[in-house]
Structure formats: C-alpha cells, structure tokens
Amino acid sequence: MTTKLVTFEDGKGQRAGVLLDDGRVLDLAAVAIGTLAGQTGDMLSLIEAGPAVLAAARALAAEPPPAAVLDAGAVRLLAPIPRPRRNVFCVGRNYMDHVAEGDRTRGIEKSELPKYPQFFTKAPECVIGPEETIPDHAGVTQWLDYEVELAAVIGREGRDIPADRALDHVFGWTVANDVTGRDLQRRHGQWFKGKSLDRSCPLGPWIVPAAELDALDTGIRCRVNGEIRQESRTSKMIFDVREIIRQLSMGFTLRPGDVVITGTPEGVGYAMQPPQTLKDGDAVECEIDGIGTLRNAVRAGL
Ligand code: MN
C-alpha cells in the first residue's frame, strides 16, 4: 500500500494527515514527531519539514496512536494543497495523440511535435478538492471540458534543475483535472482565461510520496458518467516530468508546494465526434494508477 497524504477539515480547521487503509485519518498535528512537533499542521509544513519527518509520518501510519486517529465520518478531505501559494503551472499539448486530436478540430491532418513545453498557468483560487462541485459556468462558456493530468508537487526549492536531478525536487504525486472553457481558450489567444474559471482545478484526493510511485510510466484515465473518455499512460508524454521541471526551472525558481500539472492524453470532449461538453449532473472521475481517483460532479451555477 502506498502512503496517502491528505489535507482534511474536521470543524476545527484544516490539517495534514495520513489516510489509513480503513478510511480513518491519522491527524499529524496531534502527534509529536521527534522534536518537530508543530511542523506538520498543514501540508506545506509537512513538505518543508523534509524527508525525516515524512518517514516518521509513514512509520506512525503503520502503527497509529489511537488518540491521533479520526473516524472517516468526522473528516472531509480537501485538495491536498487547498490553496497553492502561486499559480498552478501547466503544460499544454504534451501527449502526441492529444496534439493530433486538437489539430484535427482545426483541419490540420499532419501534426508536428511541439519543440518546447507549452507552459501556462491556472490561478491558485481555481483549486477545489475531491467531491467538490465544478460549476458549469453556463453563460460564460458553451464548451466546458475535462483533462485528467498527473500533478507533481514540488518539495525542494531549485532553479536551473538538470533533468537527472529533477525527481529529487518532487515531494509527491497527485491527480488534477484541468477543467477548460474551450471557446474561451481559443477566443483569447492566451489560454489563461479559458483555464482559470472559478473552481476549475480539482486536485487530489491525496499525495503519494514521490519515491512510492514510478509516475513516469503509469496508467491515466478519465471517465464521465462511468464512460471511459481518456485512457493512456504517462510514458506517452512528449516531455516527461524530468524534462518539464528542467525547462520550467530555467531561470525560474521552483518552490516547495508548487503544483505542476503535466498535460492530458487524447479523448477530451471537444475533439469527440460529435463533440461533447460537460453539463449539469455529469460525474467526472480522473484516475491515475498508483495514486487514486479524483471525483467531482458538474453542477449548474456554483
Ligand atoms: Mn491541460
């Protein structure tokens, strides 16, 4: 079993914890880890506390002190990083088959590989957690769409990070849904407007520590109302996580708690025949093998 690092809310505030196999949550703020008590109050503190504290948290989860364990019904899981300190860093057009399906909607039959990662961002306020609702934004966009993506959470500050050191800077992995207003994405040239609608970045349901998963080659898929729409492997990325971190960090300092989402595979709604949009009542499940499933429903309004 992998370690599932969560941010939860229990009526007494948001804290970091470990989701146990039986659904209960180990409250890391309730346990004193060595001399580092108080450093694990939220996920960012846990990330910044370093590998020794993470190892201690994992050991405690194996034999949790009863007084620090909360029942499943007493907690609600939030996004593992509920409000990133900076924009969520994103890569567009990073799976060849997704590049091709996008080009086909523009009448381009022969796609060219991007020569460099296509970076853009989503505002940090877009982030929502598992089971939270995605607004349909009817009246603002006619083309709301899903994109399952592997998310890397940065653990160690760095600039000009070489590819062969890049994974040393990753704290862990989680799942993201890069919800997009396609018409806005195209209309405004720059993608920010179509990518930063309120509540358009579901993230979670937890973080798996970097060393516990080979995220460079794992299954990734998205279901809408139970129907598989996207099904691929992260090994099909054009620029893998190491190369994304190398290029993103060129002359730009990545910091602990930064979230980098790495592009979506083929099967998005707007490229289907006929095209499909997300609408009120849809259930979207984004899943990555070795991490878990991020579920969100689409609802009219907010
Ligand atoms: Mn995307």
Side-chain angles (χ1 to χ4, degrees), residues 182-223:
R182 296 291 176 202
D183 40 2
L184 299 174
Q185 180 184 5
R186 287 196 181 175
R187 182 190 305 162
H188 293 276
Q190 293 274 342
W191 291 5
F192 181 78
K193 184 64 194 162
K195 295 286 191 176
S196 276
L197 295 169
D198 285 349
R199 302 170 65 81
S200 69
C201 192
L203 191 69
W206 41 71
I207 295 172
V208 170
E212 295 189 32
L213 173 66
D214 176 13
L216 297 179
D217 183 19
T218 191
I220 180 169
R221 67 193 63 81
C222 176
R223 288 181 291 267

Side-chain angles (χ1 to χ4, degrees), residues 126-203:
C126 297
V127 170
I128 59 172
E131 311 294 344
E132 290 198 81
T133 56
I134 302 164
D136 66 358
H137 291 287
V140 175
T141 176
Q142 306 304 307
W143 284 104
L144 196 71
D145 210 350
Y146 52 84
E147 296 188 350
V148 60
E149 308 203 7
L150 171 70
V153 178
I154 299 299
R156 189 192 303 171
E157 182 170 302
R159 198 180 79 157
D160 301 324
I161 300 167
D164 64 1
R165 304 293 305 190
L167 295 185
D168 297 343
H169 290 261
V170 176
F171 173 76
W173 311 106
T174 189
V175 184
N177 185 354
D178 177 15
V179 176
T180 303
R182 296 291 176 202
D183 40 2
L184 299 174
Q185 180 184 5
R186 287 196 181 175
R187 182 190 305 162
H188 293 276
Q190 293 274 342
W191 291 5
F192 181 78
K193 184 64 194 162
K195 295 286 191 176
S196 276
L197 295 169
D198 285 349
R199 302 170 65 81
S200 69
C201 192
L203 191 69

Side-chain angles (χ1 to χ4, degrees), residues 266-289:
E266 69 276 19
V268 295
Y270 86 106
M272 291 175 68
Q273 292 295 334
Q276 301 290 317
T277 67
L278 290 176
K279 54 192 182 307
D280 181 22
D282 282 348
V284 187
E285 294 176 295
C286 294
E287 184 174 80
I288 295 180
D289 294 337

Side-chain angles (χ1 to χ4, degrees), residues 91 94 119 239-248 262:
V91 180
N94 196 32
F119 293 119
F239 303 101
D240 72 15
V241 177
R242 295 168 298 194
E243 187 61 17
I244 290 168
I245 289 174
R246 184 184 78 82
Q247 297 207 33
L248 182 59
T262 56

